[in-house]
Amino acid sequence: MTEGSLHEWHAPLKAAAVEVVDLVSDEEELGDPLKLAHSERDASKDGGSDVDSETSLWEDVPNIEEEDGDTHSSEGACNTEEAQALRKRLRAIGEEKFLNETVEAGKISAKKLCTAFGIRFPFFLEEETDEAYYYPLRLGIIRELHKRVKLPQYNTIEDAVDLIKKSKNIIVLTGAGISTSLGIPDFRSKETGLYSQLERLGLADPQEVFDISLFKEDPAIFYSVAKDILPSSKRFSPTHAFIRLLQDKDKLLTNFTQNIDNLEGEAGIRPDKLIQCHGSFATATCIECKHRVQCDRIYHDLKAGKVARCAQCIQRIGDVKPGFKRKRSSDGSTKSRKKRQSYEDSIDEEDDNIIVAGVMKPDITFFGEDLPATFHDRLINHDTDLVDLVLIIGTSLKVAPVSEIVGVLPPDVPQLYISREPCSHVEFDIDLLGDCDAVVTELCRRAGWDLQHEMVDQDRRVDVRLQDGYGSRFSFKLVTA
């Protein structure tokens, strides 16, 4: 790829995990959501393409996120009117001509153009060259062109139930909201979400806890919070049971889960039906020798907040003669940050002649790491041609590339959204808002299905109401006796 070229960037479905959400939305006609999917599938069938240049450019950036109003009021950013005009122009002339007459013509920097698509940057990109902003700009453009248009024929609860009953190849995309009833926190809820709780660490951004670069330099930060997201038991929720019920009825095509708690497996979702997009706590791998173990082997360290070391490395160290210098860190760095000091101080107390055993990293996908190849291959080369219904459950769709799934599937496939809060940057056919367990329990009741789970009270009523001002958005609320 020619350095500086924007047109040859590969589609973001193969990119490392980052966060990206739109700020501006409108009702205009959008581009073809399948264009990206088809080009990706064709490229894959031709032997694939190298994405190293893309992911390496962005591998150290943990997030691109939404801040209501912030992006369009800061210095050097597009204001709302400029952003809307730029988006309209993009759709009118297409990506290539749009980039030719903006960034490549020198009329606007990639950094500023990114703000037209609602992207706010991590603080440490401020001193980077403009080329460092090409990848997030590509993400913003792809999302803008692939925004989904609601199917007008689906609007009611009855429509939702009928779709679930008649569909035979359902994609279920799940997030942390399906596990909160078990006491496992989600990530972004105010006050109760994990990121809110992590503010106590004093990091510039709480998401740095899941930054692969920071983990390699100071794994103690991640281990200090791992106990808060590690499942304390193998219990699964009624929503997990609902997905298993879809599987038992031969309706489940694939469950793409962003969750790392591995509870889908505990619920009995078959491995051939499950894509763990962000990995899971099922296994852990040494960042030095790559020795892999079941996470049960390091469970006590995780629960205690203690950095787990590789048993295989420790055994090898015992066989090595003294006199070798230890490794200061996995990348040889001696850089420090305020919150890393305690970990580095503890290492500095060690004898300089000791070889340090590698750190065990749970096999979850950190910001800056690639998603498993099975994610892209399954979606583009298998599911796209078969899917007849999409259920999005318990996720705010703020982490790319998983968030891009809804935009690359065929536009005539209905999509239902189940979560506590609406998703403002995607237009679904029917929004079913409330506790996920309550929503799926009521859907099963109306479908005449028997959803068996110890947490389901078959006699408890769910109040369902159409929200004011909407034709296809419903609220679900459990009625207390």
Side-chain angles (χ1 to χ4, degrees), residues 16-227:
V18 296
E19 185 172 7
V20 53
V21 178
D22 289 324
L23 289 176
V24 180
S25 61
D26 51 49
E27 302 296 328
E28 298 180 36
E29 185 176 356
L30 307 175
D32 181 3
L34 273 182
K35 183 178 179 182
L36 169 65
H38 288 161
S39 63
E40 279 288 282
R41 179 169 47 189
D42 292 343
S44 177
K45 288 180 179 179
D46 290 339
S49 54
D50 183 11
V51 296
D52 288 346
S53 59
E54 177 179 359
T55 55
S56 63
L57 178 65
W58 199 245
E59 65 185 356
D60 292 328
V61 181
N63 71 90
I64 316 167
E65 65 178 346
E66 175 182 29
E67 290 283 338
D68 291 337
D70 177 73
T71 301
H72 300 298
S73 62
S74 60
E75 184 179 354
C78 297
N79 60 37
T80 300
E81 291 74 20
E82 290 172 331
Q84 290 174 339
L86 285 165
R87 290 179 175 215
K88 184 176 181 179
R89 182 63 175 165
L90 169 64
R91 297 189 207 131
I93 64 175
E95 178 184 355
E96 184 171 354
K97 290 183 178 179
F98 177 76
L99 291 172
N100 283 337
E101 71 175 35
T102 54
V103 176
E104 296 190 359
K107 293 183 177 180
I108 186 173
S109 67
K111 179 179 180 180
K112 182 175 181 179
L113 187 55
C114 281
T115 66
F117 300 101
I119 295 173
R120 184 178 66 86
F121 307 103
F123 68 94
F124 48 82
L125 269 189
E126 288 300 320
E127 303 302 322
E128 295 293 329
T129 65
D130 200 50
E131 290 184 4
Y133 296 88
Y134 284 3
Y135 174 63
L137 176 58
R138 173 68 165 155
L139 275 179
I141 288 174
I142 289 295
R143 168 165 286 188
E144 183 67 22
L145 291 176
H146 297 169
K147 277 185 176 177
R148 185 176 183 277
V149 178
K150 177 185 170 356
L151 300 176
Q153 64 268 39
Y154 305 116
N155 300 286
T156 68
I157 299 294
E158 289 72 22
D159 290 337
V161 173
D162 288 343
L163 283 169
I164 293 172
K165 290 180 67 176
K166 74 179 184 182
S167 298
K168 299 185 181 302
N169 289 292
I170 302 175
I171 285 179
V172 181
L173 172 56
T174 51
I178 72 171
S179 297
T180 53
S181 61
L182 303 171
I184 300 174
D186 63 12
F187 288 85
R188 293 171 179 82
S189 292
K190 294 180 179 179
E191 298 182 1
T192 60
L194 182 65
Y195 290 151
S196 294
Q197 298 175 32
L198 293 183
E199 290 178 357
R200 60 182 168 79
L201 295 177
L203 298 171
D205 187 333
Q207 292 178 105
E208 285 191 356
V209 168
F210 299 101
D211 176 23
I212 188 59
S213 298
L214 179 56
F215 180 87
K216 290 178 177 178
E217 293 180 19
D218 187 354
I221 294 179
F222 169 78
Y223 270 89
S224 71
V225 302
K227 60 182 181 297

Side-chain angles (χ1 to χ4, degrees), residues 340-389:
R340 300 175 195 171
Q341 196 63 50
S342 61
Y343 173 76
E344 293 180 350
D345 285 349
S346 67
I347 288 182
D348 287 339
E349 294 173 0
E350 299 176 19
D351 189 323
D352 278 347
N353 289 327
I354 297 176
I355 301 174
V356 177
V359 173
M360 298 302 295
K361 174 187 171 293
D363 291 328
I364 62 178
T365 303
F366 280 55
F367 288 115
E369 289 189 303
D370 292 339
L371 271 63
T374 52
F375 162 71
H376 175 271
D377 293 342
R378 175 80 178 197
L379 178 65
I380 300 302
N381 299 327
H382 182 266
D383 289 2
T384 298
D385 292 333
L386 298 174
V387 60
D388 55 11
L389 176 64

Side-chain angles (χ1 to χ4, degrees), residues 197-469:
Q197 298 175 32
L198 293 183
E199 290 178 357
R200 60 182 168 79
L201 295 177
L203 298 171
D205 187 333
Q207 292 178 105
E208 285 191 356
V209 168
F210 299 101
D211 176 23
I212 188 59
S213 298
L214 179 56
F215 180 87
K216 290 178 177 178
E217 293 180 19
D218 187 354
I221 294 179
F222 169 78
Y223 270 89
S224 71
V225 302
K227 60 182 181 297
D228 297 324
I229 56 176
L230 184 68
S232 57
S233 71
K234 295 183 178 182
R235 294 178 63 220
F236 53 88
S237 72
T239 305
H240 290 100
F242 169 70
I243 302 170
R244 168 64 187 270
L245 185 59
L246 293 177
Q247 175 181 278
D248 292 345
K249 291 181 175 291
D250 290 327
K251 292 178 172 291
L252 180 64
L253 179 60
T254 306
N255 178 192
F256 291 93
T257 179
Q258 300 171 88
N259 297 338
I260 57 179
D261 50 33
N262 201 41
L263 295 182
E264 293 82 8
E266 299 297 338
I269 306 303
R270 301 202 314 261
D272 64 306
K273 296 285 187 180
L274 179 64
I275 299 295
Q276 294 175 309
C277 305
H278 296 158
S280 79
F281 273 108
T283 58
T285 302
C286 174
I287 63 174
E288 295 291 343
C289 74
K290 309 306 178 185
H291 177 58
R292 176 172 291 182
V293 299
Q294 294 295 310
C295 249
D296 291 347
R297 300 277 294 275
I298 64 169
Y299 179 82
H300 293 295
D301 286 338
L302 286 165
K303 294 302 289 185
K306 176 184 176 183
V307 176
R309 297 284 177 176
C310 174
Q312 183 166 284
C313 284
I314 292 172
Q315 182 177 354
R316 288 177 178 174
I317 289 171
D319 298 333
V320 175
K321 294 180 180 180
F324 286 86
K325 292 289 185 180
R326 67 173 175 84
K327 295 181 180 179
R328 293 190 58 80
S329 69
S330 61
D331 61 357
S333 172
T334 58
K335 294 183 293 182
S336 64
R337 294 188 190 179
K338 179 180 178 181
K339 286 298 175 179
R340 300 175 195 171
Q341 196 63 50
S342 61
Y343 173 76
E344 293 180 350
D345 285 349
S346 67
I347 288 182
D348 287 339
E349 294 173 0
E350 299 176 19
D351 189 323
D352 278 347
N353 289 327
I354 297 176
I355 301 174
V356 177
V359 173
M360 298 302 295
K361 174 187 171 293
D363 291 328
I364 62 178
T365 303
F366 280 55
F367 288 115
E369 289 189 303
D370 292 339
L371 271 63
T374 52
F375 162 71
H376 175 271
D377 293 342
R378 175 80 178 197
L379 178 65
I380 300 302
N381 299 327
H382 182 266
D383 289 2
T384 298
D385 292 333
L386 298 174
V387 60
D388 55 11
L389 176 64
V390 183
L391 302 180
I392 300 93
I393 311 179
T395 173
S396 57
L397 291 177
K398 289 188 176 182
V399 177
V402 176
S403 60
E404 309 311 306
I405 289 178
V406 298
V408 301
L409 293 173
D412 59 341
V413 174
Q415 298 189 11
L416 310 181
Y417 184 71
I418 301 173
S419 196
R420 285 188 178 275
E421 302 293 335
C423 181
S424 60
H425 60 282
V426 181
E427 190 172 17
F428 297 104
D429 299 311
I430 305 175
D431 295 315
L432 309 172
L433 306 181
D435 177 82
C436 295
D437 294 342
V439 175
V440 300
T441 298
E442 178 64 12
L443 291 176
C444 286
R445 187 190 69 80
R446 295 187 180 216
W449 294 356
D450 185 16
L451 180 63
Q452 291 291 330
H453 193 279
E454 60 183 14
M455 294 171 62
V456 173
D457 184 350
Q458 301 292 351
D459 297 325
R460 194 169 186 183
R461 190 170 66 87
V462 178
D463 181 49
V464 182
R465 297 188 181 185
L466 179 67
Q467 288 194 359
D468 293 340

